[in-house]
Amino acid sequence: MAKYSTGSSGGGGGTNCELCGAESNSLRLASVAGAELEVCPDCAPHDDTQQTSSRRRSSQDSGGSRSQDEPSRKKKAAQNVAKANPVWDGDSEHWEKDGTNYDDDPLPYLVSDYGDKLIDARQGAGLQRSELAEELDIPEKDLLAVEQGRATQAGIGGGLIDALEEHLDIELAE
């Protein structure tokens, strides 16, 4: 009997599968992950020796070996990744917000604490975020993105930065 048996405490002949614990009268010896266990018919497919021989048979039946299939499997996996990631297809439209054209309205290099500077200037002018957005006729979410330091990720153009600098008399760009 195996070292860590769940079967009877006698010398073998237990009625419980040592892999799943199910009660069975038709246990058989199997090698599972290097351990010799008494297993039920449901757990018998986990027998390492049985799986090795069935792999050899299927490999011989198909007329080829696994290594010949590897390049095509890798190629197929790469194709699936490319389909799932349109970033690599050369089309940047999916990440450009609201048609921002970076050639016409490039975002300048911003000072490191531009978000905090904008918040301080806005509050110093006694304006709420919604009020400033209304005065500049811009979406409040764009103003929030700049205040949070997410101008690049939000697709903010240089024109908005220029308008903020001029309206609040601050310097956000280097």
Side-chain angles (χ1 to χ4, degrees), residues 120-149:
D120 291 343
R122 176 180 56 78
Q123 290 174 344
L127 296 170
Q128 295 294 318
R129 188 178 302 120
S130 58
E131 295 171 332
L132 180 58
E134 188 177 319
E135 286 182 16
L136 294 174
D137 195 28
I138 60 170
E140 189 175 341
K141 67 179 180 65
D142 288 353
L143 183 55
L144 176 63
V146 177
E147 287 184 352
Q148 292 177 339

Short mmCIF file of all heavy atoms in Angstrom, two decimals, residues 120-149:
data_model
loop_
_atom_site.label_atom_id
_atom_site.label_comp_id
_atom_site.label_asym_id
_atom_site.label_seq_id
_atom_site.Cartn_x
_atom_site.Cartn_y
_atom_site.Cartn_z
N ASP A 120 -3.81 74.63 -8.30
CA ASP A 120 -3.52 75.81 -7.47
C ASP A 120 -3.98 77.10 -8.17
O ASP A 120 -4.59 77.97 -7.54
CB ASP A 120 -2.03 75.91 -7.15
CG ASP A 120 -1.55 74.80 -6.21
OD1 ASP A 120 -2.40 74.17 -5.54
OD2 ASP A 120 -0.32 74.57 -6.15
N ALA A 121 -3.71 77.22 -9.46
CA ALA A 121 -4.09 78.42 -10.20
C ALA A 121 -5.61 78.54 -10.32
O ALA A 121 -6.16 79.64 -10.15
CB ALA A 121 -3.45 78.39 -11.59
N ARG A 122 -6.29 77.44 -10.58
CA ARG A 122 -7.74 77.46 -10.69
C ARG A 122 -8.38 77.86 -9.36
O ARG A 122 -9.26 78.73 -9.30
CB ARG A 122 -8.26 76.09 -11.14
CG ARG A 122 -9.78 76.01 -11.19
CD ARG A 122 -10.29 74.67 -11.63
NE ARG A 122 -9.84 73.54 -10.85
CZ ARG A 122 -10.32 73.18 -9.65
NH1 ARG A 122 -11.25 73.90 -9.07
NH2 ARG A 122 -9.84 72.12 -9.02
N GLN A 123 -7.92 77.23 -8.28
CA GLN A 123 -8.46 77.55 -6.96
C GLN A 123 -8.09 78.98 -6.56
O GLN A 123 -8.90 79.68 -5.93
CB GLN A 123 -7.97 76.54 -5.93
CG GLN A 123 -8.58 75.17 -6.12
CD GLN A 123 -7.99 74.11 -5.18
OE1 GLN A 123 -6.93 74.32 -4.59
NE2 GLN A 123 -8.67 72.98 -5.09
N GLY A 124 -6.90 79.43 -6.94
CA GLY A 124 -6.48 80.81 -6.65
C GLY A 124 -7.36 81.82 -7.36
O GLY A 124 -7.57 82.94 -6.88
N ALA A 125 -7.88 81.43 -8.52
CA ALA A 125 -8.78 82.32 -9.27
C ALA A 125 -10.21 82.21 -8.76
O ALA A 125 -11.11 82.88 -9.26
CB ALA A 125 -8.71 81.98 -10.76
N GLY A 126 -10.42 81.33 -7.78
CA GLY A 126 -11.76 81.17 -7.20
C GLY A 126 -12.72 80.44 -8.11
O GLY A 126 -13.93 80.68 -8.07
N LEU A 127 -12.20 79.55 -8.96
CA LEU A 127 -13.05 78.83 -9.91
C LEU A 127 -13.19 77.36 -9.55
O LEU A 127 -12.22 76.71 -9.11
CB LEU A 127 -12.45 78.93 -11.33
CG LEU A 127 -12.37 80.31 -11.95
CD1 LEU A 127 -11.55 80.25 -13.23
CD2 LEU A 127 -13.77 80.83 -12.24
N GLN A 128 -14.38 76.86 -9.76
CA GLN A 128 -14.60 75.41 -9.69
C GLN A 128 -14.17 74.83 -11.04
O GLN A 128 -14.11 75.54 -12.05
CB GLN A 128 -16.09 75.10 -9.45
CG GLN A 128 -16.61 75.56 -8.11
CD GLN A 128 -15.95 74.79 -6.97
OE1 GLN A 128 -15.78 73.59 -7.05
NE2 GLN A 128 -15.58 75.52 -5.92
N ARG A 129 -13.91 73.55 -11.05
CA ARG A 129 -13.50 72.89 -12.30
C ARG A 129 -14.57 73.10 -13.38
O ARG A 129 -14.25 73.43 -14.53
CB ARG A 129 -13.27 71.40 -12.05
CG ARG A 129 -12.66 70.68 -13.23
CD ARG A 129 -12.39 69.20 -12.95
NE ARG A 129 -11.51 69.03 -11.81
CZ ARG A 129 -11.84 68.36 -10.70
NH1 ARG A 129 -13.01 67.80 -10.58
NH2 ARG A 129 -10.98 68.25 -9.71
N SER A 130 -15.83 72.93 -13.01
CA SER A 130 -16.91 73.07 -13.99
C SER A 130 -16.98 74.50 -14.55
O SER A 130 -17.26 74.70 -15.74
CB SER A 130 -18.25 72.68 -13.37
OG SER A 130 -18.52 73.48 -12.22
N GLU A 131 -16.72 75.49 -13.70
CA GLU A 131 -16.75 76.89 -14.14
C GLU A 131 -15.63 77.17 -15.14
O GLU A 131 -15.85 77.82 -16.17
CB GLU A 131 -16.62 77.82 -12.94
CG GLU A 131 -17.79 77.76 -11.98
CD GLU A 131 -17.55 78.53 -10.70
OE1 GLU A 131 -16.37 78.67 -10.27
OE2 GLU A 131 -18.54 78.99 -10.11
N LEU A 132 -14.43 76.69 -14.84
CA LEU A 132 -13.30 76.91 -15.75
C LEU A 132 -13.54 76.21 -17.08
O LEU A 132 -13.29 76.77 -18.15
CB LEU A 132 -11.98 76.43 -15.12
CG LEU A 132 -10.73 76.60 -15.97
CD1 LEU A 132 -10.51 78.06 -16.38
CD2 LEU A 132 -9.51 76.07 -15.22
N ALA A 133 -14.07 74.98 -17.02
CA ALA A 133 -14.36 74.25 -18.24
C ALA A 133 -15.39 74.99 -19.09
O ALA A 133 -15.25 75.08 -20.31
CB ALA A 133 -14.86 72.84 -17.90
N GLU A 134 -16.39 75.57 -18.44
CA GLU A 134 -17.41 76.33 -19.16
C GLU A 134 -16.83 77.59 -19.78
O GLU A 134 -17.12 77.92 -20.94
CB GLU A 134 -18.55 76.68 -18.21
CG GLU A 134 -19.75 77.29 -18.90
CD GLU A 134 -20.90 77.55 -17.93
OE1 GLU A 134 -21.15 76.70 -17.05
OE2 GLU A 134 -21.53 78.62 -18.07
N GLU A 135 -15.99 78.30 -19.03
CA GLU A 135 -15.37 79.53 -19.55
C GLU A 135 -14.51 79.26 -20.78
O GLU A 135 -14.46 80.07 -21.70
CB GLU A 135 -14.52 80.20 -18.47
CG GLU A 135 -15.32 80.90 -17.40
CD GLU A 135 -14.45 81.60 -16.36
OE1 GLU A 135 -13.24 81.81 -16.62
OE2 GLU A 135 -14.98 81.94 -15.28
N LEU A 136 -13.81 78.13 -20.77
CA LEU A 136 -12.93 77.79 -21.89
C LEU A 136 -13.64 76.98 -22.97
O LEU A 136 -13.04 76.67 -24.01
CB LEU A 136 -11.71 77.02 -21.38
CG LEU A 136 -10.75 77.79 -20.48
CD1 LEU A 136 -9.67 76.88 -19.94
CD2 LEU A 136 -10.14 78.96 -21.23
N ASP A 137 -14.90 76.61 -22.69
CA ASP A 137 -15.69 75.80 -23.61
C ASP A 137 -14.99 74.48 -23.95
O ASP A 137 -14.77 74.14 -25.11
CB ASP A 137 -16.01 76.58 -24.89
CG ASP A 137 -17.11 75.91 -25.70
OD1 ASP A 137 -17.96 75.22 -25.10
OD2 ASP A 137 -17.09 76.04 -26.95
N ILE A 138 -14.59 73.78 -22.88
CA ILE A 138 -13.93 72.48 -23.02
C ILE A 138 -14.66 71.47 -22.15
O ILE A 138 -15.33 71.84 -21.18
CB ILE A 138 -12.44 72.54 -22.60
CG1 ILE A 138 -12.31 72.97 -21.13
CG2 ILE A 138 -11.65 73.44 -23.53
CD1 ILE A 138 -10.92 72.83 -20.56
N PRO A 139 -14.55 70.19 -22.46
CA PRO A 139 -15.16 69.17 -21.60
C PRO A 139 -14.48 69.15 -20.22
O PRO A 139 -13.26 69.24 -20.12
CB PRO A 139 -14.91 67.86 -22.33
CG PRO A 139 -14.56 68.23 -23.73
CD PRO A 139 -13.96 69.60 -23.66
N GLU A 140 -15.28 69.05 -19.19
CA GLU A 140 -14.75 69.02 -17.82
C GLU A 140 -13.82 67.83 -17.62
O GLU A 140 -12.84 67.91 -16.89
CB GLU A 140 -15.89 68.99 -16.81
CG GLU A 140 -15.44 69.18 -15.39
CD GLU A 140 -16.59 69.25 -14.39
OE1 GLU A 140 -17.73 69.53 -14.80
OE2 GLU A 140 -16.32 69.04 -13.20
N LYS A 141 -14.11 66.72 -18.31
CA LYS A 141 -13.26 65.53 -18.16
C LYS A 141 -11.85 65.78 -18.69
O LYS A 141 -10.88 65.23 -18.17
CB LYS A 141 -13.89 64.31 -18.84
CG LYS A 141 -13.97 64.39 -20.35
CD LYS A 141 -14.59 63.13 -20.93
CE LYS A 141 -14.69 63.16 -22.42
NZ LYS A 141 -13.44 63.20 -23.14
N ASP A 142 -11.71 66.65 -19.69
CA ASP A 142 -10.38 66.98 -20.19
C ASP A 142 -9.60 67.81 -19.16
O ASP A 142 -8.41 67.60 -18.94
CB ASP A 142 -10.46 67.74 -21.52
CG ASP A 142 -10.88 66.85 -22.68
OD1 ASP A 142 -10.98 65.61 -22.48
OD2 ASP A 142 -11.11 67.39 -23.78
N LEU A 143 -10.31 68.73 -18.54
CA LEU A 143 -9.68 69.56 -17.49
C LEU A 143 -9.26 68.68 -16.31
O LEU A 143 -8.16 68.81 -15.79
CB LEU A 143 -10.66 70.64 -17.04
CG LEU A 143 -10.15 71.64 -16.00
CD1 LEU A 143 -8.87 72.32 -16.48
CD2 LEU A 143 -11.23 72.67 -15.69
N LEU A 144 -10.12 67.74 -15.94
CA LEU A 144 -9.80 66.81 -14.85
C LEU A 144 -8.56 65.98 -15.21
O LEU A 144 -7.68 65.77 -14.37
CB LEU A 144 -10.99 65.89 -14.57
CG LEU A 144 -10.77 64.80 -13.52
CD1 LEU A 144 -10.47 65.43 -12.16
CD2 LEU A 144 -11.98 63.89 -13.44
N ALA A 145 -8.48 65.53 -16.45
CA ALA A 145 -7.33 64.73 -16.89
C ALA A 145 -6.03 65.52 -16.74
O ALA A 145 -5.02 64.98 -16.28
CB ALA A 145 -7.52 64.27 -18.33
N VAL A 146 -6.06 66.78 -17.11
CA VAL A 146 -4.86 67.61 -16.98
C VAL A 146 -4.52 67.80 -15.50
O VAL A 146 -3.36 67.67 -15.10
CB VAL A 146 -5.03 68.98 -17.69
CG1 VAL A 146 -3.81 69.85 -17.47
CG2 VAL A 146 -5.28 68.77 -19.18
N GLU A 147 -5.53 68.06 -14.67
CA GLU A 147 -5.29 68.24 -13.24
C GLU A 147 -4.72 66.98 -12.60
O GLU A 147 -3.95 67.06 -11.65
CB GLU A 147 -6.58 68.66 -12.52
CG GLU A 147 -6.98 70.09 -12.80
CD GLU A 147 -8.21 70.51 -12.01
OE1 GLU A 147 -8.85 69.66 -11.35
OE2 GLU A 147 -8.53 71.71 -12.05
N GLN A 148 -5.12 65.81 -13.10
CA GLN A 148 -4.64 64.55 -12.54
C GLN A 148 -3.31 64.10 -13.16
O GLN A 148 -2.82 63.03 -12.84
CB GLN A 148 -5.69 63.45 -12.73
CG GLN A 148 -6.93 63.68 -11.89
CD GLN A 148 -8.00 62.63 -12.14
OE1 GLN A 148 -8.01 61.96 -13.17
NE2 GLN A 148 -8.91 62.50 -11.20
N GLY A 149 -2.77 64.91 -14.06
CA GLY A 149 -1.49 64.55 -14.67
C GLY A 149 -1.61 63.50 -15.75
O GLY A 149 -0.65 62.77 -16.02
#
